[in-house]
Amino acid sequence: MVLTIESAQAMFSGNSSPSPIPAILDQFNRLSTEDQLALLWYAYTETGQSITPAALSASSMFLIEDLLDRIKRMSGPEQTQVMFDLVRRADSPVSRSYSSYSANTKLGFWYQLAQWMADGLVAPIQYGYQLSSQGQELFETLKQLDGGQQIQILRDIVVNMGYDPAVSKVTPEPVEFEFIRAEPVAAAKPHIEGIKEPVVLSYFEAMNTDNFAAAVALFAPDGALQPPFRAPIVGHGAIAAYMREEAKGLTLMPQQGISQLLGDGSKQLKITGKVQTPWFGVNVAMNIAWRFALNPEGKIFYVGIDLLASPEELLNLRPDKIAR
């Protein structure tokens, strides 16, 4: 059996229920600008109550303090226009600055705006605004999701806002927040029921201490990492860049898994557990499955990270059908 990214993606692919998130994001993108802003406001009003601002260091806030203060000093109509421009991905100074932020920084940006909207310092959604029937239906759907799924949707919404830097001739370096772990994760390798592969245990250890150089070194040179609902990220340089931008402060809590040895000496594993983010701390955790493909030399060839459709999926560890 030749190990390819395509064959690795197919591992255990029939063992999980499809996630509702891609369809929800598609519905969100079809809404009017007003409905999108209203839903974002409601999302931060509800989900944002669990956000842990202590995860940010003072130096991190300084990175976007100037832009936030400029918005704070604007008139109400100007503030509303800024938010409309972000949702519409318009080419404006604020949208260009926003596009240079990392995913976590964008979450922090909207968190601060939502706080100021609640305090009356930034123009809130128009009082008495009524969502369209499509918006109201989507809002009711969002309320039925678990906290981990709501986090992923909130993240994907804010990441895709702002001016698309691909249109610009110059792509700015991403501005990143520096997170402070409220409770540092022990450096010891985790215990995962059913899993004893040293390279996999070392991966979780490295990720939980933000030691991304060590994590990347575990991958084969042509190895790939595939985050939820995204294309595979291939090669050490690209994987390292992704981890630095989006994995800082994550707490990975693998619980159990299964491992299968293939005829050529490669292995495939499925591990389920939870992930806590620095923004939501211990209040909310995402239900996650990690699908590993290890090459015959024991290097990680592929890691697929799946956001599970329900907590019940954590126990779904049926062996995969191995191609002969």
Side-chain angles (χ1 to χ4, degrees):
M1 177 181 175
V2 178
L3 193 58
T4 65
I5 291 178
E6 289 74 18
S7 66
Q9 286 176 305
M11 297 184 307
F12 306 101
S13 58
N15 289 359
S16 300
S17 302
S19 171
I21 291 179
I24 289 174
L25 291 172
D26 182 65
Q27 288 177 287
F28 178 84
N29 289 328
R30 295 174 185 272
L31 296 176
S32 68
T33 301
E34 291 82 356
D35 270 3
Q36 289 187 31
L37 274 176
L39 271 178
L40 183 61
W41 164 248
Y42 296 148
Y44 264 92
T45 301
E46 298 292 327
T47 311
Q49 293 175 0
S50 300
I51 288 177
T52 308
L56 291 175
S57 68
S59 60
S60 297
M61 288 301 295
F62 177 76
L63 296 173
I64 59 170
E65 188 177 69
D66 179 64
L67 179 59
L68 285 168
D69 282 346
R70 275 192 284 146
I71 295 173
K72 188 178 179 181
R73 292 194 300 268
M74 291 177 180
S75 66
E78 289 174 328
Q79 292 169 344
T80 300
Q81 186 61 53
V82 163
M83 290 185 280
F84 271 48
D85 287 344
L86 289 170
V87 172
R88 293 168 176 164
R89 303 176 178 87
D91 185 1
S92 70
V94 172
S95 288
R96 281 177 172 266
S97 296
Y98 181 89
S99 70
S100 71
Y101 296 165
S102 69
N104 287 322
T105 308
K106 290 174 180 177
L107 278 169
F109 175 89
W110 282 102
Y111 169 74
Q112 185 61 77
L113 285 187
Q115 288 288 96
W116 284 346
M117 290 167 78
D119 295 339
L121 301 175
V122 169
I125 300 302
Q126 182 180 354
Y127 179 77
Y129 178 79
Q130 296 292 317
L131 285 168
S132 66
S133 58
Q134 294 89 345
Q136 187 61 47
E137 180 181 349
L138 185 55
F139 182 49
E140 294 302 321
T141 300
L142 288 172
K143 290 196 294 187
Q144 300 304 314
L145 299 178
D146 65 46
Q149 292 170 319
Q150 291 174 344
I151 290 173
Q152 183 67 40
I153 289 172
L154 185 59
R155 177 204 169 280
D156 287 349
I157 287 173
V158 301
V159 162
N160 292 320
M161 290 181 174
Y163 178 66
D164 184 356
V167 179
S168 176
K169 294 181 180 179
V170 179
T171 301
E173 290 295 320
V175 177
E176 302 177 12
F177 272 150
E178 176 185 347
F179 285 106
I180 300 174
R181 292 182 182 272
E183 296 182 5
V185 181
K189 290 183 176 62
H191 170 75
I192 308 174
E193 183 180 348
I195 300 297
K196 298 186 181 300
E197 296 296 333
V199 68
V200 173
L201 298 179
S202 294
Y203 171 84
F204 286 109
E205 177 188 8
M207 295 300 292
N208 277 338
T209 53
D210 295 340
N211 189 350
F212 303 132
V216 171
L218 301 171
F219 283 78
D222 57 347
L225 183 148
Q226 185 166 12
F229 318 118
R230 292 180 58 175
I233 300 167
V234 182
H236 283 193
I239 293 172
Y242 168 81
M243 289 179 175
R244 287 194 300 268
E245 181 176 341
E246 301 204 30
K248 283 183 179 177
L250 295 180
T251 300
L252 281 55
M253 300 181 292
Q255 298 170 348
Q256 60 271 316
I258 55 173
S259 174
Q260 294 179 296
L261 176 65
L262 279 62
D264 63 353
S266 61
K267 294 181 179 180
Q268 56 188 37
L269 304 88
K270 180 179 179 180
I271 298 167
T272 59
K274 295 178 180 291
V275 170
Q276 293 174 342
T277 75
W279 277 108
F280 295 84
V282 299
N283 298 312
V284 183
M286 295 181 284
N287 300 309
I288 296 291
W290 295 268
R291 293 177 293 120
F292 286 84
L294 308 183
N295 66 19
E297 291 74 38
K299 288 285 191 177
I300 298 174
F301 178 75
Y302 173 84
V303 181
I305 305 170
D306 306 318
L307 183 63
L308 300 178
S310 68
E312 289 73 23
E313 294 285 329
L314 291 170
L315 303 178
N316 189 350
L317 290 170
R318 296 192 305 273
D320 201 16
K321 294 181 178 179
I322 300 176
R324 301 294 182 185

